[in-house]
Amino acid sequence: MKKTHSPAAVVRVAFISLVSLGMLVPMYILVINTFKSQQEILADPLSPAFGTATFQYLADAWNNPDFSILKGYGITFALVLSVNAIAMAVCAPAAYALARTPRPVSRLLLFFFIAGMFIPTQVILVPVIFVLRAVGLMGTLPGLILFMTATTIPFTLFVFFGYIRVLPRSLDEAAAIDGAGKYYTLWRIIVPLMRPIIATVFILNSLSVWNDFASPQMILGPGSDVYTVTTGVYAAVGQYSTDYTKVFPTLLLAVIPILVIFIVMQRHIMSGLAAGAVKG
């Protein structure tokens, strides 16, 4: 028997397809123009040039003396790993304590923490700069790590809380009967069960940190020798804004790592969200 789809389902699929296509167009333009000359880009930026495509412009961007892409990768990866490690180390015990607290109190405390999710990062950048300058961390990577960790904590805590909340309390009771303390129960029993949601949070936080431009630009400063991929690309292509043989290859090199990570790890995002939805 042939399956038929309702009009609503057809409209929904068509709408999602159009939105997806619209989001892929900029990536398509970026990729095809990376391998074209300036004249070809200006003449026809939407068509690939298979006959004259070259990797030379990509190699030139990789060896650009004004911007070491490898250094940008290294600093950005260090930033991503540090922010995730600190945020998860703080949020795991906090979420566990909130999840095992009576509902009215836990709800009140949770709302206090997740209120930070609704405050745009750009709004608090100026006050943060004054605080970092006062403690001597302005223009440093540790200062940027602390700030970006603070911006990821509300989301991380919210997701961890929802996941731990549906884990049965019988796990805690069984551990207590065996003589385990709260810390042992958290790190040896609860956290291993949180692997799917930890992977999900890690990927989403990494995307946010990798793509952030305003925070490192303001905290590290435009003249700093410490730069992330986004700030380094901005500084590198700013003086060549009309030379598209430098702009497109540099931008492609900036997005390749996080794009590959997302494609490889996207199944963990779905599995983590699905596990959090059906547990309990």
Side-chain angles (χ1 to χ4, degrees), residues 166-179:
V166 297
L167 292 178
R169 290 177 180 266
S170 58
L171 295 173
D172 304 53
E173 297 166 358
I177 292 173
D178 290 338

Side-chain angles (χ1 to χ4, degrees), residues 8 11 16 57 83 103 105 124 126 137 166 190 192 232 250 269 272:
V11 171
I16 294 175
Y57 304 117
V83 168
R103 185 176 293 271
V105 178
I124 60 175
V126 174
L137 292 177
V166 297
I190 301 298
T250 305
I269 298 179

Side-chain angles (χ1 to χ4, degrees), residues 5-30:
H5 298 281
S6 65
V10 173
V11 171
R12 184 165 57 249
V13 171
F15 175 75
I16 294 175
S17 300
L18 287 174
V19 172
S20 301
L21 182 63
M23 296 178 68
L24 288 173
V25 167
M27 191 64 193
Y28 166 78
I29 294 175
L30 174 61

Side-chain angles (χ1 to χ4, degrees), residues 131-202:
V131 173
L132 292 177
R133 185 176 289 119
V135 298
L137 292 177
M138 184 62 187
T140 66
L141 190 59
L144 179 61
I145 290 173
L146 289 176
F147 171 69
M148 300 197 77
T149 299
T151 62
T152 59
I153 280 178
F155 171 75
T156 305
L157 180 64
F158 174 71
V159 176
F160 279 6
F161 171 85
Y163 194 91
I164 297 175
R165 187 80 180 182
V166 297
L167 292 178
R169 290 177 180 266
S170 58
L171 295 173
D172 304 53
E173 297 166 358
I177 292 173
D178 290 338
K182 294 292 185 183
Y183 288 103
Y184 185 94
T185 302
L186 170 63
W187 296 111
R188 300 300 296 272
I189 298 175
I190 301 298
V191 169
L193 294 174
M194 295 172 59
R195 287 177 182 173
I197 204 67
I198 287 175
T200 301
V201 169
F202 177 83

